[in-house]
Amino acid sequence: MHRLALAAGAALMLMGQAAPSDPEMRLWRLDCGTLEVSDFGPFSDTRDYDGQPRDIVDSCYLVKHGADYLLWDTGLPASLIGKPATEWVFTYRMTTTLRDQLRTIGVKPDQIRYVGISHYHDDHTGQARDFPGATLLIGAQDWEAIRTVRPQSERDRFQPWIGGGAKVEPVDKDRDVFGDGSVTILAMPGHTPGHRALLVKLPRMGNVLLSGDQFHAQESYDKGLVPAFNFDRTDTLASHDRFKGIVRSLKATVIIQHEAADVKKLPAFPKSAE
């Protein structure tokens, strides 16, 4: 019995030594610009915002998973720094770049393993081509639209991948990015045909759900509002239900990426959530 106990103890010790440790998980919020909206009306097709001006933030995120990094959305283009631009109801402003912010925390562009894009709109894709060494993760339907029907200005932002010099992995449904359930790209079509959200599981903060443009403001979330410019209203409402269901089930912290109060749920850069 004594020998058996020793053998069992040795086996447990070996198993403990061989067991892999959980990868370090961290989440940074990044400044990707601001949008001054002269009339927020188009953000509700039931006329909730008609004539109301509003300022919203444009946020991006960096996820650390062990030695790997995922950059989620790439914001407005760096060319706007010091040169605000007005288009339709929007005035776009930028004060810093993603590369400069990453440099602050010691992360080089070639360390970014993945660039994940919630959807193809300009304020989420502006600096994508600054990371040509990364594998692009994007909704399959959005990728098809970029390659075939979207404007040339949008195609230019994805030139490293369209040209074949960089790897792209279109995401057809959900995608477990690292294979351990810690970071999941979620199918949330409607805003665009291939719109996605991102679920990040942190060891201390718990589940964090980044919205993409599933919602643009807290009222949009509370009332289930649909922007007039969304691709498909029915899909949007179905994705609303799925998003809120995941929040309930996982008790997730919601980050509406254009809502300043939500972005502030995460530590101010350069600190990270863990």
Side-chain angles (χ1 to χ4, degrees):
M1 291 293 293
H2 181 65
R3 290 181 179 177
L4 288 174
L6 287 175
L12 287 171
M13 288 179 64
L14 287 172
M15 289 172 64
Q17 291 173 0
S21 59
D22 292 334
E24 180 187 7
M25 292 290 302
R26 300 174 70 181
L27 173 65
W28 288 265
R29 76 187 215 206
L30 303 171
D31 178 4
C32 280
T34 59
L35 295 82
E36 298 173 11
V37 189
S38 59
D39 181 1
F40 210 57
F43 286 81
S44 168
D45 64 4
T46 49
R47 314 299 290 271
D48 295 73
Y49 299 124
D50 282 9
Q52 300 177 26
R54 183 173 297 218
D55 293 346
I56 58 177
V57 298
D58 197 18
S59 60
C60 305
Y61 300 86
L62 180 69
V63 180
K64 177 177 173 60
H65 178 277
D68 293 321
Y69 290 94
L70 163 70
L71 182 62
W72 180 249
D73 282 340
T74 65
L76 292 163
S79 59
L80 290 169
I81 294 178
K83 299 177 182 179
T86 299
E87 181 181 14
W88 191 30
V89 296
F90 302 105
T91 296
Y92 305 106
R93 299 182 187 277
M94 284 278 291
T95 60
T96 187
T97 67
L98 284 172
R99 283 189 171 217
D100 284 346
Q101 291 173 83
L102 295 181
R103 187 179 300 113
T104 298
I105 57 175
V107 177
K108 299 177 182 179
D110 60 8
Q111 289 179 267
I112 303 299
R113 180 177 177 183
Y114 296 112
V115 169
I117 297 295
S118 63
H119 64 292
Y120 53 54
H121 287 159
D122 296 359
D123 54 321
H124 294 258
T125 62
Q127 297 170 69
R129 62 185 172 192
D130 290 342
F131 303 91
T135 296
L136 179 69
L137 302 177
I138 186 170
Q141 301 87 344
D142 273 20
W143 181 241
E144 180 63 19
I146 289 166
R147 293 194 311 109
T148 59
V149 299
R150 298 300 297 175
Q152 184 62 42
S153 60
E154 290 185 10
R155 289 174 56 82
D156 289 345
R157 295 192 178 103
F158 293 96
Q159 195 54 50
W161 299 278
I162 289 177
K167 185 179 179 181
V168 57
E169 295 181 5
V171 180
D172 185 41
K173 297 180 180 178
D174 291 353
R175 167 70 182 267
D176 182 348
V177 177
F178 297 106
D180 60 2
S182 61
V183 182
T184 308
I185 295 175
L186 299 170
M188 297 279 173
H191 183 63
T192 63
H195 181 268
R196 297 293 186 267
L198 189 71
L199 176 65
V200 181
K201 296 184 178 182
L202 297 173
R204 295 183 183 178
M205 190 171 179
N207 295 294
V208 178
L209 189 51
L210 305 176
S211 69
D213 273 9
Q214 186 61 44
F215 306 96
H216 294 84
Q218 186 62 48
E219 302 98 312
S220 304
Y221 183 91
D222 294 341
K223 297 179 181 180
L225 303 180
V226 178
F229 50 84
N230 272 24
F231 181 78
D232 188 285
R233 194 177 204 278
T234 300
D235 283 352
T236 299
L237 292 173
S239 293
H240 280 1
D241 288 344
R242 186 184 187 210
F243 190 100
K244 292 182 178 181
I246 291 170
V247 172
R248 288 192 302 270
S249 298
L250 299 182
K251 297 179 173 57
T253 298
V254 174
I255 307 293
I256 299 172
Q257 292 183 215
H258 284 300
E259 177 66 81
D262 268 24
V263 174
K264 289 179 181 177
K265 294 174 184 175
L266 298 174
F269 185 82
K271 292 183 179 180
S272 64
E274 300 178 9

